[in-house]
Amino acid sequence: MTHTAMSDTSKTDTIMSSRAEQLIAAVPTGVFIDGKWSGAASGKRCDVVNPATGETIASIADGGPEDARRAIEVAARTQASWGRTPPRVRSEILRRAYELVMQRQDDLAVIMTSEMGKPFAEARGEVAYAAEFFRWFSEEAVRIGGDATVSGDGKTRIIVTKAPVGPCVLVTPWNFPLAMGTRKIGPAIAAGCTMVFKPANLTPLTSFALVEILREAGLPDGVLNVVCTSDPGSVVEPWMSSGLARKVSFTGSTAVGVTLLEQAAEHVMRSSMELGGNAPFIVFADADLDLAVEGAMVAKLRNMGEACTAANRMFVHHSVAGEFANRLSDRMSALRVGDGLQEGTDIGPLVEPKALSKVEALVADAVRRGARVVCGGAAVPGAGYFYPPTVLADVDPASDLMSQEIFGPVAPIIPFESEAEVVALANDTPWGLVGYVFTKDVDRAFRMNEAIEVGMLGVNTGLVSNPAAPFGGIKSSGLGREGGRLGIEEFLDVRYLAMPRDVGA
Ligand code: NAP
Ligand code: MG
């Protein structure tokens, strides 16, 4: 593992950081309500920090209850006219936004890397993934269907139509600063819903840049209103209790999701929840080990392991566990840890000091219980919040990292003996977002699809995210699906019309 020192000022890196400064300086930093940027009502501001350096890179308006109230009132007032907009018009706004996001792929990636830390190449990848939600939902906007049928006795016409659910509360996390937003904003626009949106306070700039793109794409004033804050409850709670919002779509931790579900109960709001995960990654003895190691690199290291879909528990058949650990360790220790804006960086910093100390504590606990450190295993000293790719072998299933999201580049390997044993281990968690299985046995793959309690299963792949697929979990991992054919349904109400049918003559 090589660590690129922060003082490394090669020519390209200098160009990159001055470009980052220029791009960030051009991003608006207020609250965005009814098509206008302004300061927070309180006049307060808060800082945005680059996790690779620990330096403040921007200051943004720190919204509060007064801004929140103004935003939800505008969203409620705009709902009727926006809901009547022809689907083709909404579709074309999304299509233009897709084009603009792709035209500015590099600029958005620089902003994202600066505030969140992921390597520039990964940030570009996220921008493309995020843009695809706009393209997908621009295509869905004009395909909102219904149903017309006749009752069994022939006496009633049953006509089913869809209507926008109404003003939506959107709340997103910092780990995918653009895609978590477009995955909600895309279907809301397609369905004809207005929005109040609170992006994560750690990574607001990417969302603010997206607002400007949507404006340029022709989104009318008042449809999307954005308030960021250092005190999330002070903004989101007034939205939830207002009685004006009809839906909440949240991505983040299960604990906050549960709080929002409790708040949603008051006005019986439609709720979509993309919550935490604890993904099992299972390698059977018959697996193609090359494929399994490749899959593990993606499922573990995408986003430095800071993903709800990250492989959190790697169960490997005991006959191949040693070889798997060594091969994974060879691949992981060859990666370069450093500032994501510097060329050649594979692994960026964790998002904040708290994230780094959590990973350190989880590794220390596993080691105390007998885990063997194959590579990595200690934070990188110096500025920024860096933790290197780490492989832990012979992990005790009682370790804390088995029951918590690691959210870092740490791969714990737990050897197993039988299929029945590994299914029981995999399901021994309240979460059920995603799982990964590596096997050449087709029957076993289908058995796992039925046995592993998850909303998504990757077979011989470490990546399931796809705008055309229904993303989401079961158990404590959430409610509802984002993307795919189901994504827009979360933003539509069903209206059934009954009409008598003349059965005479
Ligand atoms: P988090 O603390 O739950 O934050 C998520 C969002 O909720 C942020 O915007 C946050 O604001 C806001 N929030 C925090 N407390 C709140 C409150 N009391 N009322 C209203 N909003 C509140 O989660 P995180 O640590 O940022 O993100 C990591 C989590 O997200 C992990 O559990 C991960 O698995 C999950 N995740 C899930 C998916 C999925 O699709 N299933 C995708 C990505 C991430 P602040 O920014 O101000 O804290
Ligand atoms: Mg948080």
Side-chain angles (χ1 to χ4, degrees), residues 171-176 180 183 198-202 229 232-233 236 250-254 256 259-260 274-277 308 405 407 433 471 477:
V171 180
T172 57
W174 49 266
N175 58 348
F176 292 95
M180 297 302 96
R183 205 159 78 166
K198 194 205 81 62
N201 195 43
L202 288 170
T229 172
V236 179
F250 171 74
T251 299
S253 62
T254 297
V256 174
T259 301
L260 294 183
E274 295 288 350
L275 308 178
C308 52
E405 288 185 293
F407 253 59
L433 186 63
F471 189 103
S477 286

Side-chain angles (χ1 to χ4, degrees), residues 17 39 60 104 107 148 166 169-170 177 186 210 237 244 260 263-264 286 324 332 345 356 407 433 498:
S17 57
I60 64 162
R104 293 177 203 161
D107 292 357
V169 174
L170 311 181
L210 181 68
E237 197 281 327
L244 297 173
L260 294 183
Q263 294 173 1
D286 63 21
F324 179 84
M332 283 198 179
T345 293
L356 184 62
F407 253 59
L433 186 63

Side-chain angles (χ1 to χ4, degrees), residues 30-31 33 38-44 61-70 227:
V31 297
I33 299 170
S38 68
S42 68
K44 283 200 269 182
D62 191 355
E66 219 175 305
D67 309 291
R69 257 188 299 280
R70 208 155 61 83
V227 180

Side-chain angles (χ1 to χ4, degrees), residues 90-98 134 137-138 185-186 189-190:
R90 302 197 302 265
S91 167
E92 285 174 359
I93 291 169
L94 284 172
R95 177 68 200 201
R96 278 193 297 274
Y98 159 74
F134 281 173
F137 286 107
S138 84
I185 295 167
I189 290 177

Side-chain angles (χ1 to χ4, degrees), residues 70-355:
R70 208 155 61 83
I72 188 65
E73 280 166 19
V74 167
R77 194 182 331 125
T78 312
Q79 178 58 53
S81 61
W82 174 240
R84 282 194 301 269
T85 313
R88 181 64 73 196
V89 170
R90 302 197 302 265
S91 167
E92 285 174 359
I93 291 169
L94 284 172
R95 177 68 200 201
R96 278 193 297 274
Y98 159 74
E99 308 279 356
L100 287 168
V101 170
M102 288 312 291
Q103 275 166 29
R104 293 177 203 161
Q105 184 177 15
D106 285 3
D107 292 357
L108 287 163
V110 168
I111 295 168
M112 188 189 298
T113 296
S114 304
E115 66 178 351
M116 186 273 167
K118 71 181 74 184
F120 176 66
E122 265 195 78
R124 286 189 87 246
E126 184 187 331
V127 174
Y129 172 59
E132 281 301 330
F133 286 103
F134 281 173
R135 178 152 69 166
W136 176 265
F137 286 107
S138 84
E139 292 155 347
E140 291 291 280
V142 288
R143 310 261 186 277
I144 297 169
D147 194 27
T149 184
V150 169
S151 64
D153 60 8
K155 292 181 182 164
T156 307
R157 290 190 177 88
I158 296 170
I159 297 162
V160 178
T161 55
K162 305 278 176 76
V165 61
C168 299
V169 174
L170 311 181
V171 180
T172 57
W174 49 266
N175 58 348
F176 292 95
L178 195 64
M180 297 302 96
T182 60
R183 205 159 78 166
K184 299 184 191 307
I185 295 167
I189 290 177
C193 298
T194 61
M195 295 156 268
V196 287
F197 172 32
K198 194 205 81 62
N201 195 43
L202 288 170
T203 58
L205 302 174
T206 309
S207 302
F208 294 168
L210 181 68
V211 167
E212 287 299 273
I213 285 177
L214 282 162
R215 227 147 76 113
E216 220 177 303
L219 192 70
D221 291 351
V223 174
L224 174 66
N225 306 280
V226 185
V227 180
C228 204
T229 172
S230 63
D231 179 4
S234 75
V235 167
V236 179
E237 197 281 327
W239 288 345
M240 299 296 289
S241 64
S242 66
L244 297 173
R246 291 305 323 146
K247 178 184 173 76
V248 56
S249 178
F250 171 74
T251 299
S253 62
T254 297
V256 174
V258 168
T259 301
L260 294 183
L261 283 171
E262 285 165 0
Q263 294 173 1
E266 185 189 356
H267 296 291
V268 194
M269 288 165 67
R270 289 274 299 274
S271 303
S272 302
M273 295 281 144
E274 295 288 350
L275 308 178
N278 185 7
F281 183 101
I282 305 173
V283 182
F284 285 100
D286 63 21
D288 176 333
L289 270 201
D290 290 332
L291 216 55
V293 169
E294 195 53 51
M297 292 295 286
V298 177
K300 186 69 252 184
L301 294 184
R302 180 172 179 236
N303 226 39
M304 289 80 70
E306 294 174 314
C308 52
T309 51
N312 209 56
R313 300 168 295 155
M314 295 192 161
F315 300 110
V316 185
H317 192 264
H318 70 94
S319 63
V320 291
E323 190 186 345
F324 179 84
N326 290 337
R327 284 166 69 171
L328 188 60
S329 160
D330 287 348
R331 289 282 302 276
M332 283 198 179
S333 47
L335 298 175
R336 204 160 132 153
V337 179
D339 186 332
L341 286 179
Q342 286 178 356
E343 217 160 89
T345 293
D346 301 302
I347 302 286
L350 298 182
V351 74
E352 57 179 339
K354 216 168 56 182

Side-chain angles (χ1 to χ4, degrees), residues 375-387:
C375 70
V380 180
Y385 321 131
F386 295 96
Y387 200 89

